Structure formats: structure tokens, C-alpha cells
Amino acid sequence: MKKYILLGVPLIFYGQSLLIYFSNVHQFLLIILQVLLNIAIITGCMIFLLKRTRLQNVFDWIIGICFSVYFCILYHNTVEFLFIFDYVHFTLNNLRSTIHFSVNLIPIKGILDVLHNNPSPLFQIVGNAFMLTPFAFALLYFKWSKNNKQAIWFSFLCTVGIELVQFLQSILSSMFEIGMGRSSDIDDVILNTFGAVVGVGCYYLWVKIKQLVNQKIKNSGVTF
């Protein structure tokens, strides 16, 4: 049961935002609702993963804490729910315009747009490329997936799920200004899946290093 201490990470991560808006009562009440919803979603996902997790040594705990922080950051930067509730006049043209400008289904087009229009394109592309690398590594490290193919498949489903949620958030934003308008891009799926492959490679590199180190210290009886 000690492993459920990690559920405190999202509480700390999102709890600090309450202090920022405490001075404005009306905004504070809205922020409470927003924070509670996001904490509930993250906590539910973490409980699902922790039920399948065994933390047997110090290094397992370190990886577990790092993954918990990473998971909060990943959620915050991709699908976090924001409440604005500022009604806008909705028309079908607005919806079509939102879909046109926020959805890209042409491979490589999004990457080229970033290279031409973003002041720091390398940062954004590399960020997307390695966004799910820790996720894929954790899938194998904690045995949440049975093999590398399954880890890549789960990562692929994760990135597709993120893009679908972002698409729905764009629709809600265009209709009612509920949340943040986000873009959905097939290139993000490609880059994220590539990052998952890198994560799988990092795990197998870790296994090889672990085997070499354990061979050197096997007489001492200490392993990690």
C-alpha cells in the first residue's frame, strides 16, 4: 500500500495553483472545480497503473516518483481541462474554420509548418519526438506491457487518444470557449510513436547496463 503515496504528486502539482488565485473569490471557486477535475482524472489513471506496479527497491521508487511527476507534466501540457465559460456566438462556419485550422491529417505538413513559422522549431519538434519516451520506458520497466511491440502499441494508442481529446477541446472552445483551443496533428502521432520506439530502446539499454553492473557486484549481494 505504500506505493499509493505517489498519489500525492498530483495533489502537490495542482494544489499550488489554488494559492495563486486565492485572492479572487469568484475565480478561486472556478479554479477549485478545474483543479479537482484534473486531479480526479490524473489520480484515476495513476490508481489504474499503481494496481499493476510493484516497487521493490529504492530505484523502483525513484523511477516511480519521476514517472508520477512526468505524468502530471504530460497531462498538463496536452489534455488538461481549463474552464473559461465565456459564451461566443456559434455558427457552422466557426466550427468548419476551427476544424480546418486545428486539424492536420497530412503527414509531414505540420513539421514543415513548424519549421517555417515557429521561432524555435527544433525545441517543439524534439519535444514531440521524445514526449512519450519515458512513458514507453515505464511500460516495460514496471511490466505494464508484456513486450516491446505492446509498449509501442500502447504508446500509439496514448498519442491518438491525446489528439482526439485535443480535437474535442477545440470543438468546445469554438462553441462555448470551454477550455483551450488545441490543434490535432498526424505528425504529432508520428513523432510521439517514434519517441516510444526510443523509449523501448532505452529500456533494453538499461537492461544491458544492469546486467553488466550486477555481474561486477554479484559477490557483494547488492543488485538494482
Side-chain angles (χ1 to χ4, degrees):
M1 296 298 293
K2 291 181 180 180
K3 61 186 178 182
Y4 290 103
I5 295 174
L6 295 178
L7 295 178
V9 173
L11 293 176
I12 297 173
F13 186 86
Y14 277 99
Q16 60 182 341
S17 62
L18 298 179
L19 299 175
I20 299 175
Y21 295 96
F22 186 75
S23 59
N24 189 322
V25 177
H26 297 290
Q27 195 173 29
F28 182 64
L29 293 176
L30 188 61
I31 291 296
I32 286 180
L33 181 60
Q34 174 182 303
V35 168
L36 290 178
L37 174 62
N38 287 312
I39 288 177
I41 294 173
I42 295 179
T43 301
C45 294
M46 289 185 61
I47 289 175
F48 175 80
L49 294 174
L50 287 173
K51 284 183 177 180
R52 294 154 178 80
T53 305
R54 297 180 63 186
L55 303 178
Q56 299 177 309
N57 53 55
V58 174
F59 201 83
D60 287 351
W61 276 97
I62 293 174
I63 296 295
I65 294 172
C66 290
F67 177 81
S68 300
V69 174
Y70 155 79
F71 190 74
C72 290
I73 296 173
L74 176 66
Y75 176 84
H76 173 71
N77 289 328
T78 55
V79 296
E80 180 181 76
F81 285 90
L82 299 174
F83 295 160
I84 301 176
F85 291 111
D86 182 19
Y87 179 76
V88 295
H89 181 64
F90 169 70
T91 65
L92 287 178
N93 286 334
N94 287 343
L95 181 59
R96 294 192 190 99
S97 177
T98 297
I99 295 175
H100 176 74
F101 288 106
S102 65
V103 177
N104 171 45
L105 298 177
I106 304 175
I108 312 301
K109 179 179 180 297
I111 296 176
L112 293 177
D113 288 342
V114 170
L115 290 174
H116 283 98
N117 303 319
N118 196 294
S120 55
L122 186 61
F123 177 80
Q124 183 171 338
I125 292 174
V126 172
N128 281 330
F130 295 101
M131 187 175 77
L132 291 187
T133 297
F135 181 74
F137 179 90
L139 284 173
L140 291 170
Y141 183 88
F142 290 118
K143 311 302 180 187
W144 295 333
S145 62
K146 297 178 181 178
N147 51 56
N148 57 345
K149 291 182 180 180
Q150 195 174 73
I152 295 172
W153 173 244
F154 286 164
S155 299
F156 173 77
L157 292 179
C158 178
T159 185
V160 170
I162 288 173
E163 296 303 315
L164 288 176
V165 172
Q166 290 179 340
F167 172 73
L168 292 175
Q169 289 177 336
S170 294
I171 298 300
L172 289 174
S173 177
S174 69
M175 294 174 65
F176 307 109
E177 284 295 329
I178 299 177
M180 179 186 298
R182 301 179 186 269
S183 61
S184 301
D185 197 325
I186 187 65
D187 288 342
D188 289 344
V189 176
I190 295 172
L191 291 172
N192 293 165
T193 305
F194 168 78
V197 175
V198 174
V200 170
C202 290
Y203 172 76
Y204 281 101
L205 179 62
W206 154 253
V207 170
K208 293 297 182 182
I209 294 174
K210 179 180 176 181
Q211 290 173 347
L212 290 174
V213 173
N214 284 338
Q215 284 179 0
K216 294 182 178 180
I217 61 176
K218 63 180 179 179
N219 293 332
S220 65
V222 179
T223 59
F224 68 98

